[in-house]
Amino acid sequence: MRRAVTFLMTVVACALPSGAQAAAAGHHDNIATATNQTDATHVSDFAWGISRQRGGDVVDQLNSARAQSTCTDCGATAIAFQIVLVSGSPPKVMPFNEAVAINDRCTRCATAAEARQFVRVTEQPVRITGQGRRELADVRNRLRALSESNLPLDELHLAVEAQESRVRQVLDTELVTTADPHEDADVLDAELLQDSAG
């Protein structure tokens, strides 16, 4: 039987250049993996992460979406979004972002992997405003729904890009220094910071 493998890797631009090598798996890594081997079904995985760190450490977070289908009339969708806020002067900035979608001996399958990583390095510690946190919570919920929706691939991609734009808008307009007296205390909900579902 002829083996047909479709391989797609997308490295989505960060605020800073991404590293050429993936970091070893760690607690700051954000990974969504969806593998389907059952005919006429759809599986999904969604991962969302927001992390903050001081500039003394290497910025080497991994954000990964991997989807694979080995079946008939089936599909798999993996979506991973990660925000990394870094203050100070890190010795190295080499985050890694990947999206891999594979159809392996798959007939009439729709396999999608969408990964977006956003890295911001600032001189002073920053936080996301209350309005920004509410916007990101809505983005997270919409992305989770998209991962489960089994949309056609082109529609899914456009919908994910729309949510990517919203995240960029928040990071462009809703970051303030932690010492800003005009903002409420920064209490990020744990579910907003890290959310990964299998």
Side-chain angles (χ1 to χ4, degrees):
M1 177 180 288
R2 191 173 89 189
R3 179 181 174 89
V5 177
T6 302
F7 181 85
L8 171 65
M9 177 173 279
T10 305
V11 178
V12 181
C14 300
L16 295 172
S18 62
Q21 299 178 357
H27 68 283
H28 289 303
D29 294 340
N30 190 60
I31 300 170
T33 304
T35 303
N36 195 352
Q37 298 177 324
T38 305
D39 294 347
T41 63
H42 178 263
V43 300
S44 65
D45 192 19
F46 170 65
W48 169 273
I50 300 177
S51 65
R52 284 186 287 194
Q53 71 180 59
R54 299 287 182 173
D57 297 326
V58 172
V59 179
D60 60 358
Q61 283 84 347
L62 167 67
N63 185 61
S64 175
R66 289 179 167 263
Q68 181 171 349
S69 299
T70 310
C71 37
T72 300
D73 292 316
C74 68
T77 301
I79 298 176
F81 268 54
Q82 182 185 50
I83 298 170
V84 182
L85 303 177
V86 184
S87 61
S89 300
K92 289 185 181 179
V93 179
M94 42 184 287
F96 191 81
N97 186 59
E98 67 174 1
V100 180
I102 300 173
N103 282 340
D104 182 4
R105 293 167 294 178
C106 206
T107 305
R108 298 183 300 276
C109 297
T111 306
E114 298 275 356
R116 303 291 189 276
Q117 186 181 53
F118 312 87
V119 178
R120 296 293 186 269
V121 179
T122 59
E123 291 185 5
Q124 299 180 19
V126 295
R127 55 191 171 85
I128 302 169
T129 67
Q131 175 59 36
R133 294 194 301 273
R134 287 187 291 274
E135 186 78 2
L136 291 179
D138 186 65
V139 169
R140 182 198 64 220
N141 292 336
R142 289 175 184 268
L143 287 170
R144 179 185 294 283
L146 284 172
S147 72
E148 299 169 352
S149 67
N150 199 17
L151 285 172
L153 297 182
D154 56 342
E155 292 182 26
L156 175 68
H157 182 69
L158 289 174
V160 170
E161 284 194 329
Q163 299 310 310
E164 174 187 354
S165 294
R166 293 178 67 195
V167 173
R168 290 189 184 281
Q169 179 70 15
V170 168
L171 296 178
D172 288 344
T173 63
E174 300 296 335
L175 285 183
V176 296
T177 63
T178 55
D180 189 337
H182 301 293
E183 277 297 323
D184 296 333
D186 188 19
V187 180
L188 283 180
D189 180 74
E191 187 180 3
L192 176 59
L193 280 170
Q194 195 72 35
D195 185 1
S196 184

